[in-house]
Amino acid sequence: MQAVILTEYGQPENLELKEVEKPNTNDDQVLIRIKAAGVNPVDTKIRAGTSGMCKKINLPVILGFDVSGIVEAVGKNVKEFNINDEVMGCIGFPGLGKAYAEYTAADPVHLAHKPSNISFEEAAAVPLAGLTAYQTIHDHLQVQPGHRILIQAAAGGVGHLAVQFAKIAGAEVSGTASQKNIPFLKELGVDQAIDYKNSNFEDHVASLDAAMDAMGGEVLYRTIKCVKKGGRVVCLPSSSKDDPVAIKLAEEQGIELVWPLMYPDQKQISQIADFMRQGQLKVRIGQTFPLKQIVQAHKQVESLHTTGKVVILI
Ligand SMILES: NC(=O)c1ccc[n+]([C@@H]2O[C@H](COP(=O)([O-])OP(=O)(O)OC[C@H]3O[C@@H](n4cnc5c(N)ncnc54)[C@H](OP(=O)(O)O)[C@@H]3O)[C@@H](O)[C@H]2O)c1
């Protein structure tokens, strides 16, 4: 099969399309013929060698966690899926997913049935960002009806899904994006769309119940100051984890600050698929690339200005 192989950490050009053996599956796994693979910022950080996950990886490897496709073989202990089922999921996270390929072996616990009303591209775009957004809104921020919350990078992969989960939960949502994405934020249902380049977001929000930061550093510090005592802030980039300035600010402000790591959850991925089946959750595909253009796909994600998600078509 064809797969993208990383033999050395570094530039996007280190990703090479090669012919490799089709993966073997054990009795507890399914073999997926991949139709699309989502590209996430964590993929680019692993490729660059800057992710904490690299410590447990032995090169060469196939990258990619988000996948959609058709089940081609089923291990004898697998009960939930059958041959020819259409599936989606975030596989092997944290660690190694092996989704940038024509086939992959997956544990059923990481998969959901793909809703028939969404495309393979949409199904591959949603799992990792969707689980992160869902866990941010429900587990970490514990958003309740009427809460006033701020979502940073609300047009991004995680942000645009977090906005929708927060609206479903009944929150009043403020979101930041540059001017070109303000109409998109309004389309998502953001109550207050803030152009972060032409104004300071803290001039628009104060005494919030909760906030999601997707940037770290200065943006995180300023975000913390917008949340009221007893409120919560989630900061997604693990590169800023345990930032002492942020921890001190959070203590002074009397807020709970969390750097979560997304965890796979079969019930949640199935619930996310259900939201899509019912038309309550929509994913925006910013750009698609064929597998052979994986280098361009990584460069797009590293631009930090993707609207929605980047997806590889296989
Ligand atoms: N901890 C975890 O488990 C976990 C899970 C998922 C993701 N993450 C991390 O979370 C971060 C965000 O992920 P993502 O997939 O959402 O990224 P993304 O899709 O690449 O985010 C791109 C978005 O960021 C916006 N943006 C850039 N600079 C901004 C700023 N200063 N203020 C507000 N918005 C800004 C851009 O909007 P404009 O183009 O309009 O500027 C763009 O829409 C990444 O660092 C990722 O690694 C962590």
Side-chain angles (χ1 to χ4, degrees):
M1 68 166 185
Q2 292 219 303
V4 170
I5 309 293
L6 179 73
T7 42
E8 199 182 330
Y9 294 122
Q11 300 303 311
E13 286 75 10
N14 290 14
L15 297 165
E16 287 176 287
L17 192 61
K18 287 191 175 167
E19 200 64 31
V20 297
E21 289 290 314
K22 226 165 139 178
N24 293 319
T25 48
N26 63 35
D27 291 345
D28 299 311
Q29 292 182 313
V30 298
L31 180 69
I32 303 172
R33 178 154 55 85
I34 300 176
K35 301 284 278 183
V39 183
N40 287 286
V42 66
D43 302 358
T44 67
K45 293 172 192 178
I46 295 174
R47 186 217 74 229
T50 58
S51 164
M53 287 182 216
C54 296
K55 285 184 207 130
K56 292 191 178 159
I57 293 175
N58 292 317
L59 299 178
V61 291
I62 300 170
L63 300 182
F65 296 107
D66 278 342
V67 73
S68 69
I70 299 168
V71 174
E72 188 156 296
V74 179
K76 71 175 184 337
N77 298 333
V78 175
K79 304 276 176 271
E80 308 93 317
F81 297 99
N82 295 305
I83 289 175
N84 287 332
D85 279 356
E86 296 183 348
V87 292
M88 57 187 271
C90 173
I91 57 173
F93 188 91
L96 208 52
K98 304 187 185 179
Y100 298 173
E102 289 183 303
Y103 292 88
T104 197
D107 293 336
V109 72
H110 295 152
L111 299 175
H113 290 277
K114 179 183 92 58
S116 56
N117 57 322
I118 66 167
S119 64
F120 283 105
E121 289 94 309
E122 290 169 311
V126 111
L128 195 153
L131 286 164
T132 306
Y134 187 91
Q135 291 164 12
T136 293
I137 296 303
H138 293 290
D139 299 357
H140 308 303
L141 298 182
Q142 298 179 6
V143 172
Q144 302 297 321
H147 272 183
R148 294 172 56 247
I149 73 161
L150 172 66
I151 306 283
Q152 297 285 7
V158 179
H160 85 293
L161 300 171
V163 165
Q164 295 175 71
F165 288 131
K167 289 305 297 177
I168 293 169
E172 187 185 315
V173 180
S174 297
T176 59
S178 65
Q179 192 160 21
K180 70 172 194 304
N181 279 320
I182 296 297
F184 176 46
L185 262 47
K186 291 186 177 157
E187 217 179 285
L188 289 170
V190 167
D191 299 288
Q192 183 176 217
I194 305 168
D195 174 352
Y196 71 88
K197 281 192 177 157
N198 290 313
S199 66
N200 291 320
F201 62 81
E202 52 270 63
D203 292 341
H204 302 271
V205 286
S207 299
L208 295 163
D209 295 287
M212 183 197 97
D213 173 46
M215 312 306 301
E218 270 304 313
V219 176
L220 172 61
Y221 309 153
R222 291 162 55 205
T223 301
I224 289 170
K225 291 180 185 163
C226 296
V227 176
K228 69 183 184 194
K229 191 172 178 196
R232 292 162 186 262
V233 173
V234 155
C235 177
L236 293 178
S238 44
S239 52
S240 81
K241 193 168 173 9
D242 299 332
D243 177 338
V245 178
I247 290 172
K248 186 162 179 283
L249 276 173
E251 274 169 15
E252 285 165 9
Q253 194 87 1
I255 64 144
E256 193 177 327
L257 173 59
V258 193
W259 280 277
L261 183 65
M262 189 284 281
Y263 58 91
D265 184 301
Q266 191 170 29
K267 214 168 138 203
Q268 288 179 2
I269 189 68
S270 297
Q271 187 155 16
I272 288 168
D274 279 343
F275 279 129
M276 298 190 87
R277 200 169 279 117
Q278 290 151 10
Q280 283 182 284
L281 181 74
K282 291 194 165 55
V283 65
R284 170 68 68 98
I285 313 278
Q287 266 165 292
T288 58
F289 296 88
L291 189 59
K292 64 177 185 223
Q293 285 181 16
I294 189 72
V295 172
Q296 286 88 332
H298 268 228
K299 286 182 176 171
Q300 173 57 42
V301 170
E302 286 182 319
S303 76
L304 305 182
H305 291 290
T306 297
T307 300
K309 296 290 303 176
V310 170
V311 175
I312 300 293
L313 307 177
I314 298 173

